[in-house]
Amino acid sequence: MKPLLITVGSRGDVQPYLALAKGLLAAGHQPVVAAPRRFQPLAAAHGIDCVPLNDEMLDLQDLAKGKGARAAMAAARSVKPLVRRVLDDEAELAHRDADVVLYHPKSLGGPYVAEKLGVPAIAGLLLPLYVPTAAFASPILPVRLPRALNRASWRTSSVIEMPYRGLIRTWRAEALGMTGGFRPVADVARRGAVLHAWSAHLLPAPADWPDSARPTGFWSMPAAVDWAPPERLARFLEEGEQPVYIGFGSAVGRDPRALTATVLEAVRLAGKRAVLATGWGGLRPGTEPDGVLVVEDVPHDWLLPRMAMAVHHGGIGTVAAALRAGVPQAVRPFIGDQPFWAARLHRLGVAAAPLGGRLTPARLAAALDQAARLAPAARTLAGRMAEEDGIATAIARLESAPGAAKSD
């Protein structure tokens, strides 16, 4: 096969696609990944052919880093011209030789590139988004609904693209030369094929999903066993008991400094050591108190197995890394699907009760104590997940997609 994988967003959106591409290479296929330009070095390190996409949106997010939710919202208002530039880069992909397109919904243009190429389009989903079920409501819904409305709630999947629908329609006509038969991304994905890239041990397929929607397992890069930590991190880990990992990734609260103060006081109250990951500004410590180390970018697959537990925002990338590491979790969700995963982890018995609402040092300290008691359950679940091979399962389904494979 010559699969074309299109993804945009943060590292959590890109790395699973690179992991799948690495697996496709090992299986004898010829994958190409189109991803934001800043991830080219990561792709190159794994021998993956990567086409750079405009990443000015990530630059804009970097400018808002550490400045709180108001700055993040102001940056969002400047996004539409940048979306068009990404789409224009994606239009160039329609000149490549590919026989299947796997796309992240955030790419917006993925299914139309496949349409122009005349090849199957498959949505590669890191969370439940388009296949409706009566078993639970759409994870991106911000409110809880009566169970009877679960299936209807899945219509909200279109909100991801809705602000850009006119822009996408215009781009499809101008850049791809296709003026008729436009269908929104949500409709294309809902009627087409999907690959659900999470573990069935985290969230099994409900009974009303077709077999094709069964989760494959996570798409994970091999552990970074050769990664060498900075000396100060290595020394910190050797100096005392296992610390708590605390990081909120790309989530940005209203007041990063207040959140940091809350976290530091909770760590003190709980009598824990901690590694604080600053991420995109969710945490902005001015100093390092005793027993606390501040880091910016450390591979989760290296760091989390060395932690006593993980405190995070509930992004699926961090959820997956903590599950694989076998560490208990405490989740302070912010937006989107994060409350869904926080509740799911708690229900599985590997995370403290979700820390929604107003976060106080006492509440977080209590969650740390609760999570510590869940360590045996977290290790057991990690052992079960280790038996899955999400990449092999995804490749097998790609190979069986109608029209996806070409014989030599």
Side-chain angles (χ1 to χ4, degrees), residues 235-248:
R235 188 169 59 250
F236 182 79
L237 295 178
E238 293 171 356
E239 284 175 347
E241 66 177 18
Q242 280 186 310
V244 175
Y245 168 85
I246 304 177
F248 300 115

Side-chain angles (χ1 to χ4, degrees), residues 76-123:
R77 288 192 285 270
S78 307
V79 155
K80 277 196 176 181
L82 306 185
V83 170
R84 177 59 195 252
R85 289 172 204 170
V86 175
L87 288 171
D88 286 341
D89 283 350
E90 290 181 25
E92 294 301 312
L93 300 171
H95 301 296
R96 303 186 70 89
D97 184 15
D99 45 36
V100 63
V101 171
L102 181 75
Y103 65 94
H104 193 302
K106 287 183 182 178
S107 72
L108 298 178
Y112 310 111
V113 171
E115 183 183 9
K116 181 68 175 179
L117 287 167
V119 302
I122 301 175

Side-chain angles (χ1 to χ4, degrees), residues 367-393:
L368 296 180
D369 290 338
Q370 182 185 0
R373 296 192 292 271
L374 303 176
R379 288 193 293 269
T380 298
L381 185 56
R384 292 173 182 161
M385 283 178 49
E387 299 173 359
E388 294 179 319
D389 191 337
I391 288 175
T393 301

